[in-house]
Each structure stands twice: as C-alpha cells, then as structure tokens.
Amino acid sequence: MKAGIVGLPNVGKSTLFNCLSNAKAQSANFPFCTIEPNIGVVNVPDTRLQKLEELVNPERVLPATVEIVDIAGLVKGASKGEGLGNQFLGNIRETDAILHVLRCFDNENIVHVDGSVNPVRDKETIDIELQLKDLETVDKKLEKVKRAAKTGNKEAQKEEAVLLKIKQGLETGTSVRALDINKEDRAEFVRPLQFITDKPVMYVCNVDEDAATTGNAYVEQVKAAVANENAEVIFLAVGTEADITELESYEERQMFLEDLGLTEPGSAKLIRGAYKLLDLETYFTAGVKEVRAWTIPVGATAPQAAGVIHTDFEKGFIRAEVIAYNDFVSYGSEAKVKEAGKMRVEGKEYIVKDGDVMHFRFNV
C-alpha cells in the first residue's frame, strides 16, 4: 500500500519527501526537477511501540512502515500530455491514496508556475487534470457497456447508470470520491476502474515557519474549499521540517521543536495520517527477541493478520492468543496478563483490533 505526493511544480513535494524518508530526492527551484518517481519506505511513529519496548526490553524493535511516492509536478494540460503528463498520471494511478501538497506561503525567491500564490486555484488545476483523465476512462468503459445494455442485459444497464452518473459528475467538476454512489455499486463497478479521483486524499498545506503552529489565511481558504470533500487538511512548514531532519541528535531536534512551539515534527502527524488514509492499522508481537508493529488493513481477520508474518501462519492457523494493548500496559507483562485472566483465545472469525498484542498458534 502506498501514498503518492502530488502537486504543482515547486510547492515543496520533494523537500517533504526528503523529510519523510531521508532519501534525499533531488529538489530544486525549477519545474520538472523530479521526473522518475522516488519511493521511500517510511516508519510510522507510534508511542505504543516505545511503551512495549520499555516493558519487554527486547533485542530489537521494528516499527510499521508505509510507502511514500514522490511524483513529479503536474501542470495544466497534463491529461493531454503537457509537461510529462501521461507518465505522471500513470504514476498516480498506481498509488492507493494521494497526499496533495499546496503552496501556502509567500516567498519572492521561489517561482510559482502560475505566477502567484493561490492554493485553491492550484488545487483546482490539479483536480481538473485528474478529472479529465478519469473522464477518458469512463468514456472508454461506457462504449463497451452501452452495447451490452442495449441487448437488455440487466447488469450492464445497472453499470451504465453508475457510469453515466460518474461522467456527469466529472463533467461538472466533481471528483468520483465525492459522488453519492452506494457501497455495493462502488465495489462492483467503480473500484475496478481505478479512477484517480476516487482515491482518498489528504491536503498538505506547506506554510512558512511563522505559521507552523497556527496555520494562516491560505490554510483557511483550503479548508473552506474542500469542506464538502470529506478530506483531511493538515499544515506543516516543510522547509523547517527539512532543517529539523538535518540535526544530528534527538535532543537538538526536540529543542528546535520546542522553540517553534511544537511537541513533535509535523511530518510524524502526516505519516500517521497517510497510514489512516490507506485504511491501515497496527497489531503488535512482543517477545524478548523482538517487539514489532505489523501493518494490516482495517477489518482483517486473525488468520489474515497471521499471514502478514508468513503465509504458512495463515494456511495452518489454529488460534490467536490476544492481549488488548491497554491490558498489556496496565499489568506490565504477558505473564501478569495471563495471571489476571485477561489473555483471550480467538479463532478464525476474530476481527483484529488496532493495538492488539498477538501470538499465533499454527500447524503446517
């Protein structure tokens, strides 16, 4: 599962990517500096993991990760191949969620591709390009479906109605994710087409250092513009975040954050947000060899969670021994949880809860 960073050229995408992954993607003050997408595997900050480490004192600790893709800047006309449009749009299609970076700061020394700072206009520029690309997709599909619908095929007629609704929405500037389509129709007719504007989105407002804790008027404009989208809006000072990641020690980074009035880097909030956006959650395994966070889709069953460790665990699943995270912390150890009768034995139907500490029994 991966989230793609998108936006116009020069809004801070590659700098943000560098903050998140420390992969040092090229970033410069001109469009199309990034051509091939950069991919970084980023640790998900989780205070629960630190607490489990304190209690268990393992040999090593492994956090959950999420894949972040830095996609080159889109420009007007991308859907028709302007700039490096088709390649960029293809890269976006391969991601599971979108982190849309908007420039929300003034700086005469950094050029804006459209000549002035206006994050709402920038958002609409990108939305239109993504919607136009989705319109191509829906038109192609409609050609085939209409032929089948004319023969009286009931399923095709149902699909045609959904596709026509999508087409009408896109033509009036409404993204697929914002359309009122029921869950069953989305699963059957919408998801397989991988519409770009159906992907969940988070708007990341890139502000200057003075606005790092409170945001600014640009951020408020973005919030108002996306109010009906059911999308999250966060703000962070990307340039300042980059400076923080350059500092050598944890103590220096904390001092810098305190001077800004922040309790943690904004990038940590963004990574957790991306994880949530991808509809992911975490369960833990905790032993003296290793304390580890494992990533699963929300709603995964115990055997599916076991399969993340190894496919044999899922195939030969017998049962899961489960401790709620809060119980583990309040009793202080697995042994004390067992003594208190708080360890549960769960079977194949169990839906894993975020934060469960689990141990699997299996037979291959």
Side-chain angles (χ1 to χ4, degrees):
M1 301 288 278
K2 54 190 176 185
I5 301 175
V6 305
L8 292 176
N10 286 358
V11 296
K13 296 183 312 302
S14 293
T15 307
L16 175 61
F17 176 81
N18 288 340
C19 290
L20 298 177
S21 66
N22 289 329
K24 301 288 178 276
Q26 190 183 7
S27 60
N29 185 16
F30 56 90
F32 306 123
C33 170
T34 310
I35 295 174
E36 289 298 325
N38 295 296
I39 298 175
V41 177
V42 182
N43 292 341
V44 179
D46 195 329
T47 54
R48 296 174 299 181
L49 200 60
Q50 293 156 7
K51 189 67 187 171
L52 289 171
E53 181 183 8
E54 284 171 28
L55 295 172
V56 179
N57 194 24
E59 289 174 20
R60 63 175 185 168
V61 178
L62 291 169
T65 58
V66 63
E67 219 171 78
I68 305 285
V69 187
D70 176 25
I71 295 164
L74 282 175
V75 291
K76 255 180 217 159
S79 58
K80 296 180 175 64
E82 288 295 321
L84 298 166
N86 289 325
Q87 183 184 338
F88 298 170
L89 289 161
N91 292 336
I92 296 169
R93 197 182 293 283
E94 287 166 15
T95 65
D96 303 288
I98 293 172
L99 306 175
H100 187 158
V101 182
L102 296 165
R103 176 171 168 176
C104 293
F105 65 90
D106 296 302
N107 185 332
E108 289 174 7
N109 297 319
I110 298 177
V111 296
H112 189 292
V113 75
D114 285 332
S116 62
V117 177
N118 183 334
V120 174
R121 176 203 61 208
D122 295 353
K123 170 201 165 324
E124 287 167 357
T125 296
I126 294 230
D127 280 353
I128 288 165
E129 295 308 321
L130 302 184
Q131 287 161 1
L132 287 169
K133 201 67 186 170
D134 279 351
L135 205 48
E136 279 180 29
T137 303
V138 80
D139 282 341
K140 277 181 196 164
K141 185 67 176 174
L142 264 170
E143 276 179 42
K144 295 174 185 171
V145 172
K146 277 181 173 175
R147 286 197 292 270
K150 278 178 185 169
T151 66
N153 183 313
K154 291 278 188 285
E155 195 67 9
Q157 288 170 351
K158 194 176 168 187
E159 184 171 10
E160 183 185 23
V162 173
L163 294 176
L164 286 170
K165 187 173 190 173
I166 290 169
K167 180 177 167 69
Q168 187 181 5
L170 290 168
E171 285 174 342
T172 54
T174 305
S175 293
V176 177
R177 77 177 75 84
L179 293 170
D180 183 19
I181 298 168
N182 70 49
K183 200 174 173 183
E184 293 75 20
D185 287 347
R186 271 193 185 275
E188 192 172 352
F189 306 127
V190 182
R191 290 280 142 73
L193 294 175
Q194 289 186 295
F195 289 112
I196 299 171
T197 67
D198 191 36
K199 296 179 190 296
V201 65
M202 179 196 292
Y203 294 98
V204 182
C205 298
N206 182 9
V207 299
D208 54 25
E209 189 172 309
D210 293 340
T213 55
T214 56
N216 57 23
Y218 290 133
V219 176
E220 294 311 310
Q221 289 166 19
V222 172
K223 285 180 178 175
V226 306
N228 66 338
E229 280 193 39
N230 192 27
E232 192 175 345
V233 178
I234 70 165
F235 58 87
L236 65 160
V238 174
T240 307
E241 296 277 333
D243 292 340
I244 292 170
T245 59
E246 292 296 326
L247 296 171
E248 291 297 318
S249 73
Y250 173 78
E251 287 73 22
E252 283 179 299
R253 291 194 290 274
Q254 287 306 113
M255 281 171 64
F256 198 140
L257 287 168
E258 281 167 24
D259 288 345
L260 291 171
L262 296 170
T263 54
E264 66 173 356
S267 53
K269 187 168 64 173
L270 187 146
I271 294 163
R272 284 197 299 271
Y275 196 69
K276 192 176 167 190
L277 201 64
L278 291 163
D279 212 22
L280 300 174
E281 62 185 12
T282 301
Y283 77 86
F284 301 103
T285 50
V288 289
K289 287 276 183 200
E290 174 183 279
V291 165
R292 183 164 181 166
W294 299 89
T295 301
I296 51 170
V298 171
T301 61
Q304 288 167 337
V308 173
I309 299 175
H310 198 287
T311 51
D312 285 349
F313 283 31
E314 184 172 1
K315 285 177 197 161
F317 179 89
I318 299 169
R319 64 179 184 274
E321 293 167 358
V322 184
I323 302 170
Y325 169 77
N326 288 339
D327 285 341
F328 200 106
V329 171
S330 61
Y331 287 98
S333 73
E334 186 178 312
K336 286 179 181 170
V337 170
K338 282 180 180 173
E339 275 174 35
K342 291 288 185 179
M343 178 183 275
R344 305 189 317 275
V345 175
E346 301 287 359
K348 290 182 177 180
E349 306 303 313
Y350 177 67
I351 304 296
V352 178
K353 293 178 181 63
D354 187 53
D356 277 349
V357 181
M358 304 185 76
H359 184 70
F360 298 104
R361 300 292 178 188
F362 67 100
N363 181 33
V364 179

